[in-house]
């Protein structure tokens, strides 16, 4: 099969999400739990202004979800423990030789390396559940991987991180060649561009060990949007400077050298847990829009919207306060997963 993962900028059929359930990720107080429910709801409602949204909802949360979510959002009952849909859900692909054919890559999901704190057994079934609902052809993979660990240009290029796909907690026997072969088989990637690492905070106990979707994304063929930490007091100042130098020397599947566009981090450097990894790179591109992370920094949020409007011309950029998401380990891109709109053969 000639499977290919389209660019996120291509047309979407819908976006998939999962509604939060009680547990460590949501929080251990009523205030934290309500904050989590409200933020997932706000993101879903924002995305639904641009395209349909379907939400997996655990039986225990049906009443709450129906009360909080917009009536435009479709609810499907399914078991949920973790609710980072980018990572537990399928990666959708298409077959250009069979118009109208949808594929769903079912990566092995083990909660970002099977940490002791994670509850992921139910979420590990989400890809198969969604494939069944959509009628997609299931593409089973033996690779432990998450959707937040890859970014593509839709034309053969994939961004990966050495500390994610080659993480011994995920794939103890993998090497670059095996990972790249699986990327070719499942998502049609003919050129892998490896980042040496991710952002500093992402390596703490509750991090992903370097997901690319908080660091860099391919906004158009040959053009990368990169998180830029301008303050030397933050360790990501050196990290992002080194990543820029690295990416500027790389080429995509068509042989183009990348143009790297920086998108500055907000001014706040730390919280009670240490240096923050607040990043505007972790946005979702939707039909005719962009749902962007906001961090309560009026100047930086506005600058980010302007940069996103420039790199995604013709799309309306809206901001949702993503601090409650980052407090829990991710951002807007991490809780959403786009399903491409299929071309129908004549």
């Amino acid at each position: 099969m000639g499977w290919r993962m389209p660019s996120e900028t291509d047309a979407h059929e819908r976006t998939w999400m999962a509604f939060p359930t009680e547990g460590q990720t949501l929080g251990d107080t009523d205030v934290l739990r309500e904050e989590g429910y409200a933020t997932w709801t706000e993101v879903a409602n924002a995305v639904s202004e641009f395209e349909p949204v379907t939400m997996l909802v655990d039986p225990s949360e049906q009443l709450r979800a129906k009360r909080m979510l917009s009536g435009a959002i479709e609810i499907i009952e399914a078991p949920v423990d973790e609710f980072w849909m980018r990572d537990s859900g399928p990666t959708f692909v298409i077959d250009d030789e069979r118009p109208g054919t949808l594929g769903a890559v079912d990566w092995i999901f083990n909660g970002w390396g099977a940490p002791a704190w994670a509850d992921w057994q139910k979420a590990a079934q989400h890809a198969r559940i969604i494939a069944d609902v959509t009628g997609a052809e299931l593409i089973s993979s033996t690779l432990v991987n998450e959707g937040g660990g890859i970014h593509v240009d839709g034309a053969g290029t994939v961004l990966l991180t050495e500390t994610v796909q080659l993480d011994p907690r995920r794939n103890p026997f993998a090497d670059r060649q095996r990972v790249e072969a699986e990327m070719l088989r499942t998502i049609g990637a003919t050129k892998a561009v490896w980042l040496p690492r991710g952002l500093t905070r992402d390596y703490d106990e509750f991090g992903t060990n370097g997901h690319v979707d908080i660091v860099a994304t391919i906004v158009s063929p040959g053009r990368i949007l990169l998180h830029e930490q301008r303050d030397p007091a933050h360790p990501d100042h050196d990290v992002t400077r080194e990543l820029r130098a690295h990416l500027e020397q790389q080429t995509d599947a068509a042989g183009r050298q990348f143009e790297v566009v920086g998108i500055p981090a907000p001014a706040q450097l730390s919280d009670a847990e240490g240096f923050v990894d607040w990043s505007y790179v972790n946005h979702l591109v939707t039909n005719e829009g962009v749902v962007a992370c906001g961090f309560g920094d009026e100047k930086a949020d506005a600058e980010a919207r302007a940069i996103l409007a420039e790199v995604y011309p013709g799309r309306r950029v809206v901001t949702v306060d993503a601090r409650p998401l980052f407090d829990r380990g991710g951002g807007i891109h991490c809780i959403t997963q786009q399903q491409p709109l299929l071309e129908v053969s004549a």
Side-chain angles (χ1 to χ4, degrees), residues 46-184:
V47 176
S48 72
E49 294 296 317
F50 296 100
E51 64 192 55
V53 174
T54 299
M55 183 81 73
L56 296 189
V57 181
D58 191 80
S60 65
E61 296 290 354
Q62 286 289 314
L63 292 178
R64 190 192 315 272
K66 290 174 181 177
R67 183 179 75 247
M68 296 185 70
L69 295 171
S70 161
I73 295 173
E74 179 186 22
I75 291 175
I76 293 178
E77 185 173 304
V80 175
D81 42 23
E82 281 294 351
F83 31 92
W84 304 94
M85 181 55 74
R86 178 69 52 177
D87 294 345
S88 65
T91 294
F92 287 107
V93 291
I94 61 175
D95 186 339
D96 293 320
E97 296 182 359
R98 297 184 294 159
T101 302
L102 182 68
V105 181
D106 179 20
W107 311 108
I108 295 174
F109 178 65
N110 71 350
W112 311 280
W117 56 264
D119 294 316
W120 47 268
Q121 287 79 9
K122 294 177 182 177
Q125 302 303 315
H126 287 169
R128 290 177 177 269
I129 291 169
I130 293 171
D132 184 60
V133 170
T134 59
E137 294 186 22
L138 191 71
I139 305 161
S140 295
S141 176
T142 58
L143 189 72
V144 177
N145 187 45
E146 304 91 33
I150 59 175
H151 257 314
V152 301
D153 64 359
T157 311
V158 62
L159 300 181
L160 305 170
T161 312
E162 292 178 10
T163 56
V164 174
Q165 286 79 23
L166 302 182
D167 181 356
R169 302 171 305 166
R170 288 175 167 99
N171 300 298
F173 306 109
D175 55 24
R176 284 194 183 199
Q177 290 73 25
R178 290 179 181 178
V179 172
E180 291 176 12
E182 187 67 347
M183 292 294 155
L184 175 61

Side-chain angles (χ1 to χ4, degrees), residues 194-230:
W194 290 88
L195 278 65
R197 60 160 297 147
L199 300 183
T200 300
R201 178 73 166 260
D202 207 14
Y203 292 89
D204 71 11
E205 181 183 2
F206 301 106
T208 70
N209 224 43
H211 268 191
V212 71
D213 73 348
I214 203 171
V215 183
T217 183
I218 308 174
V219 295
S220 57
R223 199 176 196 200
I224 285 179
L225 186 67
L226 177 68
H227 177 71
E228 185 176 80
Q229 177 52 256
R230 293 178 173 175

